[in-house]
Amino acid sequence: MDLYEYQAREIFQRYGIAVPEAETADTAREARHAADRLGGRVVVKAQVKTGGRGKAGGVKLATDPAAAELTARHILGMDIKGHTVRKVMLAQPVDIHAEYYVSYALDRAAGRFLAIASAHGGMDIEEVAATRPEAVTRIPVDPAEGITPTAAAAIATAAGLPPTTAPVLQRLWKILTDEDALLVEVNPLVRTTTGDILALDGKITLDDNARFRQTRWGAGAPTHDDPLEATAAAKGLNYVRLEGEGEVGVIGNGAGLVMSTLDVVAGCGARPANFLDIGGGASAQVMADGLTVVLADPGVRSVLVNVFGGITACDAVADGIVKALETVRLTKPLVVRLDGSNATRGRAVLDARAHPLVEQATTMDGAARRAAVLATDAAAV
């Protein structure tokens, strides 16, 4: 579960990390009053769960309350990478001397966390990481040892950060462990002209699997900016719409298999549009709901269903797909790869249905290549 920036900064404050004074507003009029209380001159920031807000025009400086109202009116309702802005945060501006990047992220492959830090933070951190990888320090963190004062100082030194950032590195780690987070990021962490260290922006991703023991998260279901994610959540689907203009919709059974499928699709030169894990069940209703959500993404040009039969056999999955096609109007080519329990029987079920837009492949690589080709062909039409 991703948090909004204003929610992340509230957690930062609770753990002793300094942030600028700020308020949130749902309307332009509220933004004017908030700016007045904050001293007039404010930074108006779109609150959406995605990056690139600044480059999209979702972060603006307003010189007075009237300008804050006009700026908020422009930002509210804006679409940023498929996310509609329904709330803005107004923060007091600060005089910045230097910008840094710091984060802790789960490294699933290595079974530990990774400390990532750079003396070159801000909006261009992605470009820095791509063109100057040596400027971004990556240090493995043993969860059993955590971030001690010595470890925090070592990370700061390795990344070229001032020693005064070390306490922040320790507190961010405490947030990660206490709050059951998968990602804690500050970009930028800044040093002001007076030497203060402040978190100007923050991103926190909480582990949904820990909800049962995190009562402070609240009992309500998580909210979704993206309408397709909201629709999928209402249907009980584990769906995430990926950033960017993806053209291959991906459906699989099991998070690990779906993640691998995304990588294979990308390796074939196509961009996956989404993550959709149907889990252990593949009933007709589950398949119909999954196909409906994936096909509703206007950027999707082909769909790849990648299933490894285990508890749910492949013939049951195939039956689900066939029955789903009775209620879902298939408008994009569908590539299906079935492997595992009763795979041969499942393929025969799909062959018998002989839908003109449904193809089969026997390997994940072959299915991904075919889905990528179909997406490219559709884009050329």
Side-chain angles (χ1 to χ4, degrees), residues 1 165 269 287 309 314 351:
M1 177 173 65
T165 61
M287 290 305 306
C314 288
D351 285 338

PDB file of all heavy atoms in Angstrom, residues 1 165 269 287 309 314 351:
ATOM      1  N   MET A   1       0.842  -1.187   0.000  1.00  0.00           N
ATOM      2  CA  MET A   1       0.000   0.000   0.000  1.00  0.00           C
ATOM      3  C   MET A   1       0.881   1.242   0.000  1.00  0.00           C
ATOM      4  O   MET A   1       1.656   1.466   0.928  1.00  0.00           O
ATOM      5  CB  MET A   1      -0.926   0.001   1.228  1.00  0.00           C
ATOM      6  CG  MET A   1      -1.786   1.240   1.348  1.00  0.00           C
ATOM      7  SD  MET A   1      -3.005   1.140   2.692  1.00  0.00           S
ATOM      8  CE  MET A   1      -1.922   1.088   4.118  1.00  0.00           C
ATOM      9  N   THR A 165      23.331  13.937   8.328  1.00  0.00           N
ATOM     10  CA  THR A 165      22.233  13.138   7.781  1.00  0.00           C
ATOM     11  C   THR A 165      22.152  11.754   8.426  1.00  0.00           C
ATOM     12  O   THR A 165      21.156  11.055   8.263  1.00  0.00           O
ATOM     13  CB  THR A 165      22.380  12.957   6.258  1.00  0.00           C
ATOM     14  OG1 THR A 165      23.603  12.256   5.980  1.00  0.00           O
ATOM     15  CG2 THR A 165      22.376  14.303   5.542  1.00  0.00           C
ATOM     16  N   GLY A 269      11.093  -6.563 -25.621  1.00  0.00           N
ATOM     17  CA  GLY A 269      10.980  -5.245 -26.239  1.00  0.00           C
ATOM     18  C   GLY A 269       9.624  -4.589 -26.102  1.00  0.00           C
ATOM     19  O   GLY A 269       9.367  -3.555 -26.715  1.00  0.00           O
ATOM     20  N   MET A 287     -11.762 -14.902 -14.112  1.00  0.00           N
ATOM     21  CA  MET A 287     -11.177 -14.615 -15.418  1.00  0.00           C
ATOM     22  C   MET A 287     -11.922 -13.492 -16.119  1.00  0.00           C
ATOM     23  O   MET A 287     -11.313 -12.619 -16.753  1.00  0.00           O
ATOM     24  CB  MET A 287     -11.188 -15.865 -16.296  1.00  0.00           C
ATOM     25  CG  MET A 287     -10.222 -16.954 -15.865  1.00  0.00           C
ATOM     26  SD  MET A 287      -8.487 -16.399 -15.719  1.00  0.00           S
ATOM     27  CE  MET A 287      -8.201 -15.674 -17.333  1.00  0.00           C
ATOM     28  N   GLY A 309      -0.271 -24.581 -13.723  1.00  0.00           N
ATOM     29  CA  GLY A 309      -1.265 -25.336 -12.981  1.00  0.00           C
ATOM     30  C   GLY A 309      -0.673 -26.052 -11.784  1.00  0.00           C
ATOM     31  O   GLY A 309       0.320 -26.761 -11.906  1.00  0.00           O
ATOM     32  N   CYS A 314      -4.766 -26.691 -15.019  1.00  0.00           N
ATOM     33  CA  CYS A 314      -4.846 -25.893 -16.238  1.00  0.00           C
ATOM     34  C   CYS A 314      -6.188 -26.050 -16.963  1.00  0.00           C
ATOM     35  O   CYS A 314      -6.655 -25.100 -17.594  1.00  0.00           O
ATOM     36  CB  CYS A 314      -3.708 -26.256 -17.181  1.00  0.00           C
ATOM     37  SG  CYS A 314      -2.086 -25.685 -16.636  1.00  0.00           S
ATOM     38  N   ASP A 351      -8.425 -25.039 -27.716  1.00  0.00           N
ATOM     39  CA  ASP A 351      -8.457 -25.381 -29.144  1.00  0.00           C
ATOM     40  C   ASP A 351      -9.896 -25.623 -29.610  1.00  0.00           C
ATOM     41  O   ASP A 351     -10.293 -25.190 -30.698  1.00  0.00           O
ATOM     42  CB  ASP A 351      -7.604 -26.615 -29.415  1.00  0.00           C
ATOM     43  CG  ASP A 351      -6.113 -26.324 -29.378  1.00  0.00           C
ATOM     44  OD1 ASP A 351      -5.747 -25.144 -29.564  1.00  0.00           O
ATOM     45  OD2 ASP A 351      -5.328 -27.269 -29.158  1.00  0.00           O
TER      46      ASP A 351
END
